[in-house]
Amino acid sequence: MEKGDTYQEESIEKLDVHYIYIKALMKAGIMTIGDLIKIPKDNVLSILNDVNALGYNAVRRALMGRGLIFDFDKELYEKYGIPEDFILIKIATLPLNQRLINALRDNGIIYLGDLLVTNYSQLANLRRVGKNGIKELLDYIHTIGFTLVGERREFDEIIEDYKNAGVPLVGDVLELSNSAAFSLYRANIFTLDDFLDYGPNVFNLIGIGKTISQEIITAMEKKGIKFGVENPTFEKEISRSEIMSENIKNEEIKKRIERKKELAKEFQDLLLEREELLRKERELDERIAAAIKAYKALGVKDGATR
Amino acid sequence: MELQDKIFKMIDEELAKIETEVNKLRDENKEMKVNIENKEAILQELEAFNEDNV
């Protein structure tokens, strides 16, 4: 973080960002970097998106480049328990594959803070971040002690669980090619039930272009499956409850134990911090009392100002 | 409700309680930091005044 509060009164013109954004912000009455940091996200988005779709990210990046973050971002990072030291670490400096770093950058994920608040399904839908990329990222995130919100296990493991539970996968039911099936799995659509729940939006998923869309439509016609209507033939055999294997439950327990450990550690750290703060406050009280005594000794009346 | 679900529910409730305590402590520490900053500013002002008037 930028040292001190010198930026508070600094004109937003000093931000390293195109002048069109500065102009829009100033027009909205935001004159200083201090003002900018404090405004709610909706306001920033509405001001900058009126200029163009890149404005918000450009301004946010310019702030972060100065070691500053929006207050709403700060709240989000606090909510996720991400330490300040982590937030502004550039992804480019992490021990990750260069192609993955580039893909994250192109998706607007520049800093570690951005990555750690990304939830799993967003990550799985990022452009050019394939299955291996997701695995590499998750491995890294786990080594630094974090997990993503809504994190799911590897496709292979999930697919294995469905198979063990005797639940047919949508790719098998519709007899789809691997690329079509994995485009669905990437969006957490594993069973026909998932597929029907998702509905026609499935054709808007990243990775599902014209060819795969056509393949899915043909397969649906062939099997007599339609969106928005009952498909009784398949409905019963793919009940979600069937897939809750012991394996998944054990993972859930492990996650909770880890969370408890994290909380206990944080509690301990906060208690230590409290002790230090109390000590500091007591010392300050004593020094203030001494200073007031000296002030009175000078014979200055109470309430006098410099 | 299955036994396992009940256990999960109990653990989650416990985690929520701990989380509330942690958040409370964190907020209180934050408030203390603000108080300390204010006191530091007051002290600085007092000491500067006293120095000027010695």
Side-chain angles (χ1 to χ4, degrees):
Chain A
M1 305 288 140
E2 191 160 299
K3 297 282 174 211
D5 277 357
T6 49
Y7 64 88
Q8 289 282 6
E9 296 302 323
E10 205 177 318
S11 167
I12 53 164
E13 288 175 285
K14 294 279 170 76
L15 272 185
D16 184 19
V17 71
H18 197 285
Y19 197 69
I20 49 168
Y21 306 128
I22 306 275
K23 220 161 77 179
L25 290 165
M26 289 177 101
K27 201 174 154 195
I30 298 154
M31 312 305 279
T32 66
I33 295 181
D35 294 339
L36 177 64
I37 283 173
K38 287 186 197 85
I39 59 171
K41 187 173 184 177
D42 287 350
N43 292 12
V44 193
L45 280 172
S46 108
I47 295 165
L48 294 170
N49 283 349
D50 276 352
V51 183
N52 65 39
L54 302 173
Y56 169 69
N57 276 336
V59 169
R60 186 167 175 267
R61 263 206 307 277
L63 272 180
M64 291 174 107
R66 292 268 314 254
L68 299 170
I69 45 178
F70 280 115
D71 280 356
F72 54 76
D73 272 334
K74 209 180 279 179
E75 281 171 23
L76 184 70
Y77 295 132
E78 277 176 17
K79 185 179 144 199
Y80 282 87
I82 301 168
E84 282 199 356
D85 301 349
F86 280 39
I87 298 169
L88 291 172
I89 293 175
K90 287 198 168 166
I91 300 274
T93 64
L94 301 179
L96 297 169
N97 181 307
Q98 192 56 44
R99 279 183 61 192
L100 182 59
I101 290 173
N102 295 346
L104 290 171
R105 183 200 58 209
D106 296 345
N107 281 287
I109 297 176
I110 314 284
Y111 293 96
L112 184 57
D114 295 329
L115 179 64
L116 295 177
V117 296
T118 304
N119 69 41
Y120 180 84
S121 58
Q122 284 170 324
L123 186 70
N125 283 302
L126 290 179
R127 285 174 192 277
R128 292 171 48 220
V129 178
K131 193 181 157 197
N132 292 338
I134 292 172
K135 187 178 179 315
E136 187 180 343
L137 275 178
L138 290 181
D139 283 349
Y140 176 74
I141 290 167
H142 295 164
T143 56
I144 58 168
F146 282 86
T147 48
L148 294 186
V149 175
E151 191 173 302
R152 296 280 297 268
R153 292 161 307 129
E154 283 302 294
F155 296 148
D156 296 345
E157 290 173 22
I158 298 171
I159 289 168
E160 200 55 40
D161 278 342
Y162 278 100
K163 282 183 179 164
N164 290 342
V167 180
L169 293 158
V170 64
D172 298 333
V173 175
L174 294 178
E175 294 173 14
L176 297 175
S177 64
N178 268 352
S179 59
F182 270 87
S183 298
L184 295 174
Y185 302 155
R186 268 165 67 92
N188 291 334
I189 299 170
F190 287 100
T191 65
L192 188 63
D193 208 13
D194 293 337
F195 179 75
L196 294 172
D197 281 350
Y198 211 93
N201 279 337
V202 83
F203 300 114
N204 299 326
L205 286 171
I206 289 170
I208 297 199
K210 269 187 191 167
T211 316
I212 293 182
S213 290
Q214 194 49 54
E215 184 186 336
I216 294 173
I217 291 167
T218 309
M220 286 172 74
E221 283 170 1
K222 197 173 153 194
K223 300 278 171 182
I225 296 166
K226 287 178 187 165
F227 288 125
V229 294
E230 292 283 304
N231 291 280
T233 326
F234 299 94
E235 205 171 49
K236 196 166 176 260
E237 57 186 343
I238 51 171
S239 153
R240 269 177 195 276
S241 60
E242 285 179 72
I243 63 154
M244 282 299 283
S245 66
E246 285 305 308
N247 206 358
I248 295 172
K249 289 191 175 179
N250 286 341
E251 286 289 324
E252 290 294 314
I253 291 170
K254 267 191 220 161
K255 242 189 249 172
R256 283 165 170 81
I257 292 170
E258 280 306 309
R259 180 72 186 132
K260 193 173 175 184
K261 274 189 202 161
E262 280 169 19
L263 285 170
K265 185 178 177 312
E266 193 179 354
F267 193 74
Q268 208 52 41
D269 290 347
L270 285 167
L271 279 179
L272 288 173
E273 186 184 54
R274 165 69 59 93
E275 269 179 36
E276 177 58 21
L277 288 170
L278 281 170
R279 191 199 56 73
K280 209 169 172 182
E281 199 169 12
R282 265 200 306 271
E283 188 190 308
L284 273 171
D285 285 344
E286 282 166 17
R287 287 178 63 192
I288 288 174
I292 289 175
K293 207 173 160 189
Y295 170 82
K296 283 186 177 165
L298 288 170
V300 184
K301 287 179 183 171
D302 286 349
T305 52
R306 290 173 77 188
Chain B
M1 194 186 283
E2 270 182 59
L3 180 64
Q4 207 153 14
D5 290 336
K6 280 184 188 167
I7 293 170
F8 276 165
K9 195 169 170 260
M10 274 168 58
I11 300 172
D12 284 343
E13 281 170 359
E14 195 197 345
L15 281 176
K17 272 185 206 162
I18 302 172
E19 208 158 348
T20 309
E21 286 301 311
V22 169
N23 288 341
K24 200 175 141 208
L25 197 57
R26 195 191 299 124
D27 288 346
E28 284 173 0
N29 281 7
K30 212 185 274 178
E31 262 179 48
M32 280 187 79
K33 282 179 196 166
V34 174
N35 274 343
I36 286 174
E37 275 171 11
N38 285 337
K39 285 185 178 180
E40 277 169 348
I42 291 168
L43 179 65
Q44 201 180 355
E45 191 73 3
L46 274 167
E47 285 180 341
F49 187 90
N50 288 347
E51 239 172 68
D52 289 349
N53 289 282
V54 169

